[in-house]
mmCIF file of all heavy atoms in Angstrom:
data_model
loop_
_atom_site.group_PDB
_atom_site.id
_atom_site.type_symbol
_atom_site.label_atom_id
_atom_site.label_comp_id
_atom_site.label_asym_id
_atom_site.label_seq_id
_atom_site.Cartn_x
_atom_site.Cartn_y
_atom_site.Cartn_z
ATOM 1 N N ASP A 390 -5.373 -3.395 -26.457
ATOM 2 C CA ASP A 390 -4.942 -2.436 -27.421
ATOM 3 C C ASP A 390 -5.696 -1.178 -27.347
ATOM 4 O O ASP A 390 -5.242 -0.035 -27.642
ATOM 5 C CB ASP A 390 -5.014 -2.931 -28.808
ATOM 6 C CG ASP A 390 -6.455 -3.366 -29.222
ATOM 7 O OD1 ASP A 390 -7.309 -3.473 -28.390
ATOM 8 O OD2 ASP A 390 -6.635 -3.684 -30.482
ATOM 9 N N PHE A 391 -6.999 -1.221 -26.893
ATOM 10 C CA PHE A 391 -7.830 -0.027 -26.848
ATOM 11 C C PHE A 391 -8.895 -0.156 -25.803
ATOM 12 O O PHE A 391 -9.562 -1.209 -25.650
ATOM 13 C CB PHE A 391 -8.455 0.061 -28.319
ATOM 14 C CG PHE A 391 -9.449 1.310 -28.467
ATOM 15 C CD1 PHE A 391 -8.928 2.559 -28.620
ATOM 16 C CD2 PHE A 391 -10.784 1.150 -28.412
ATOM 17 C CE1 PHE A 391 -9.750 3.616 -28.745
ATOM 18 C CE2 PHE A 391 -11.687 2.178 -28.693
ATOM 19 C CZ PHE A 391 -11.099 3.406 -28.759
ATOM 20 N N VAL A 392 -9.077 0.939 -25.093
ATOM 21 C CA VAL A 392 -10.174 1.068 -24.104
ATOM 22 C C VAL A 392 -11.143 2.183 -24.693
ATOM 23 O O VAL A 392 -10.748 3.249 -24.862
ATOM 24 C CB VAL A 392 -9.617 1.459 -22.701
ATOM 25 C CG1 VAL A 392 -10.787 1.865 -21.819
ATOM 26 C CG2 VAL A 392 -8.848 0.276 -22.072
ATOM 27 N N GLY A 393 -12.326 1.686 -24.928
ATOM 28 C CA GLY A 393 -13.381 2.602 -25.526
ATOM 29 C C GLY A 393 -14.260 3.198 -24.406
ATOM 30 O O GLY A 393 -13.802 4.105 -23.644
ATOM 31 N N THR A 394 -15.444 2.735 -24.267
ATOM 32 C CA THR A 394 -16.352 3.307 -23.282
ATOM 33 C C THR A 394 -16.037 2.749 -21.888
ATOM 34 O O THR A 394 -16.478 3.337 -20.898
ATOM 35 C CB THR A 394 -17.773 2.865 -23.596
ATOM 36 O OG1 THR A 394 -17.893 1.424 -23.544
ATOM 37 C CG2 THR A 394 -18.243 3.373 -24.985
ATOM 38 N N GLY A 395 -15.227 1.701 -21.838
ATOM 39 C CA GLY A 395 -14.867 1.091 -20.553
ATOM 40 C C GLY A 395 -15.846 -0.034 -20.132
ATOM 41 O O GLY A 395 -15.599 -0.675 -19.100
ATOM 42 N N ASP A 396 -16.870 -0.321 -20.958
ATOM 43 C CA ASP A 396 -17.793 -1.345 -20.542
ATOM 44 C C ASP A 396 -17.146 -2.714 -20.461
ATOM 45 O O ASP A 396 -17.270 -3.518 -19.532
ATOM 46 C CB ASP A 396 -18.928 -1.417 -21.576
ATOM 47 C CG ASP A 396 -19.855 -0.209 -21.428
ATOM 48 O OD1 ASP A 396 -19.684 0.611 -20.586
ATOM 49 O OD2 ASP A 396 -20.863 -0.199 -22.192
ATOM 50 N N THR A 397 -16.283 -3.057 -21.485
ATOM 51 C CA THR A 397 -15.691 -4.348 -21.461
ATOM 52 C C THR A 397 -14.670 -4.497 -20.358
ATOM 53 O O THR A 397 -14.648 -5.506 -19.640
ATOM 54 C CB THR A 397 -14.934 -4.599 -22.817
ATOM 55 O OG1 THR A 397 -15.836 -4.546 -23.939
ATOM 56 C CG2 THR A 397 -14.167 -5.906 -22.782
ATOM 57 N N ALA A 398 -13.863 -3.431 -20.115
ATOM 58 C CA ALA A 398 -12.899 -3.395 -19.055
ATOM 59 C C ALA A 398 -13.630 -3.538 -17.716
ATOM 60 O O ALA A 398 -13.195 -4.362 -16.820
ATOM 61 C CB ALA A 398 -12.136 -2.159 -19.071
ATOM 62 N N ASP A 399 -14.720 -2.969 -17.577
ATOM 63 C CA ASP A 399 -15.494 -3.007 -16.298
ATOM 64 C C ASP A 399 -16.012 -4.424 -16.023
ATOM 65 O O ASP A 399 -15.937 -4.900 -14.892
ATOM 66 C CB ASP A 399 -16.696 -2.057 -16.364
ATOM 67 C CG ASP A 399 -17.503 -2.078 -15.035
ATOM 68 O OD1 ASP A 399 -16.901 -1.697 -13.982
ATOM 69 O OD2 ASP A 399 -18.661 -2.493 -15.004
ATOM 70 N N ASP A 400 -16.473 -5.093 -17.072
ATOM 71 C CA ASP A 400 -16.906 -6.483 -16.894
ATOM 72 C C ASP A 400 -15.758 -7.364 -16.469
ATOM 73 O O ASP A 400 -15.948 -8.296 -15.612
ATOM 74 C CB ASP A 400 -17.435 -7.059 -18.265
ATOM 75 C CG ASP A 400 -18.792 -6.396 -18.550
ATOM 76 O OD1 ASP A 400 -19.426 -5.844 -17.683
ATOM 77 O OD2 ASP A 400 -19.191 -6.453 -19.746
ATOM 78 N N VAL A 401 -14.576 -7.222 -17.136
ATOM 79 C CA VAL A 401 -13.408 -8.052 -16.724
ATOM 80 C C VAL A 401 -12.939 -7.716 -15.360
ATOM 81 O O VAL A 401 -12.742 -8.690 -14.582
ATOM 82 C CB VAL A 401 -12.288 -7.769 -17.769
ATOM 83 C CG1 VAL A 401 -11.013 -8.520 -17.349
ATOM 84 C CG2 VAL A 401 -12.696 -8.167 -19.155
ATOM 85 N N ILE A 402 -12.839 -6.538 -14.929
ATOM 86 C CA ILE A 402 -12.408 -6.128 -13.606
ATOM 87 C C ILE A 402 -13.390 -6.633 -12.567
ATOM 88 O O ILE A 402 -13.017 -7.156 -11.536
ATOM 89 C CB ILE A 402 -12.315 -4.603 -13.486
ATOM 90 C CG1 ILE A 402 -11.143 -4.076 -14.400
ATOM 91 C CG2 ILE A 402 -11.992 -4.251 -12.020
ATOM 92 C CD1 ILE A 402 -11.170 -2.571 -14.558
ATOM 93 N N GLN A 403 -14.702 -6.518 -12.824
ATOM 94 C CA GLN A 403 -15.662 -7.035 -11.911
ATOM 95 C C GLN A 403 -15.506 -8.574 -11.660
ATOM 96 O O GLN A 403 -15.599 -8.999 -10.586
ATOM 97 C CB GLN A 403 -17.033 -6.675 -12.535
ATOM 98 C CG GLN A 403 -18.179 -7.099 -11.574
ATOM 99 C CD GLN A 403 -19.605 -6.802 -12.106
ATOM 100 O OE1 GLN A 403 -19.701 -6.488 -13.314
ATOM 101 N NE2 GLN A 403 -20.562 -6.766 -11.275
ATOM 102 N N HIS A 404 -15.195 -9.257 -12.724
ATOM 103 C CA HIS A 404 -14.922 -10.605 -12.672
ATOM 104 C C HIS A 404 -13.688 -10.986 -11.824
ATOM 105 O O HIS A 404 -13.702 -11.789 -10.905
ATOM 106 C CB HIS A 404 -14.739 -11.285 -14.082
ATOM 107 C CG HIS A 404 -14.586 -12.742 -14.052
ATOM 108 N ND1 HIS A 404 -15.741 -13.520 -14.233
ATOM 109 C CD2 HIS A 404 -13.536 -13.567 -13.917
ATOM 110 C CE1 HIS A 404 -15.300 -14.822 -14.175
ATOM 111 N NE2 HIS A 404 -13.985 -14.861 -13.948
ATOM 112 N N PHE A 405 -12.628 -10.205 -12.053
ATOM 113 C CA PHE A 405 -11.436 -10.386 -11.237
ATOM 114 C C PHE A 405 -11.540 -10.143 -9.754
ATOM 115 O O PHE A 405 -11.167 -10.836 -8.876
ATOM 116 C CB PHE A 405 -10.235 -9.570 -11.752
ATOM 117 C CG PHE A 405 -9.367 -10.200 -12.854
ATOM 118 C CD1 PHE A 405 -9.722 -10.096 -14.128
ATOM 119 C CD2 PHE A 405 -8.278 -10.844 -12.474
ATOM 120 C CE1 PHE A 405 -8.979 -10.624 -15.147
ATOM 121 C CE2 PHE A 405 -7.503 -11.560 -13.450
ATOM 122 C CZ PHE A 405 -7.826 -11.433 -14.727
ATOM 123 N N PHE A 406 -12.348 -9.034 -9.597
ATOM 124 C CA PHE A 406 -12.616 -8.563 -8.099
ATOM 125 C C PHE A 406 -13.509 -9.451 -7.376
ATOM 126 O O PHE A 406 -13.633 -9.321 -6.137
ATOM 127 C CB PHE A 406 -13.098 -7.145 -8.139
ATOM 128 C CG PHE A 406 -12.015 -6.097 -8.455
ATOM 129 C CD1 PHE A 406 -10.739 -6.592 -8.876
ATOM 130 C CD2 PHE A 406 -12.306 -4.766 -8.331
ATOM 131 C CE1 PHE A 406 -9.766 -5.524 -9.230
ATOM 132 C CE2 PHE A 406 -11.212 -3.785 -8.601
ATOM 133 C CZ PHE A 406 -10.070 -4.222 -9.037
#
Side-chain angles (χ1 to χ4, degrees):
D390 60 347
F391 180 73
V392 168
T394 61
D396 287 0
T397 298
D399 181 63
D400 289 342
V401 175
I402 295 168
Q403 185 178 16
H404 185 92
F405 270 90
F406 284 9

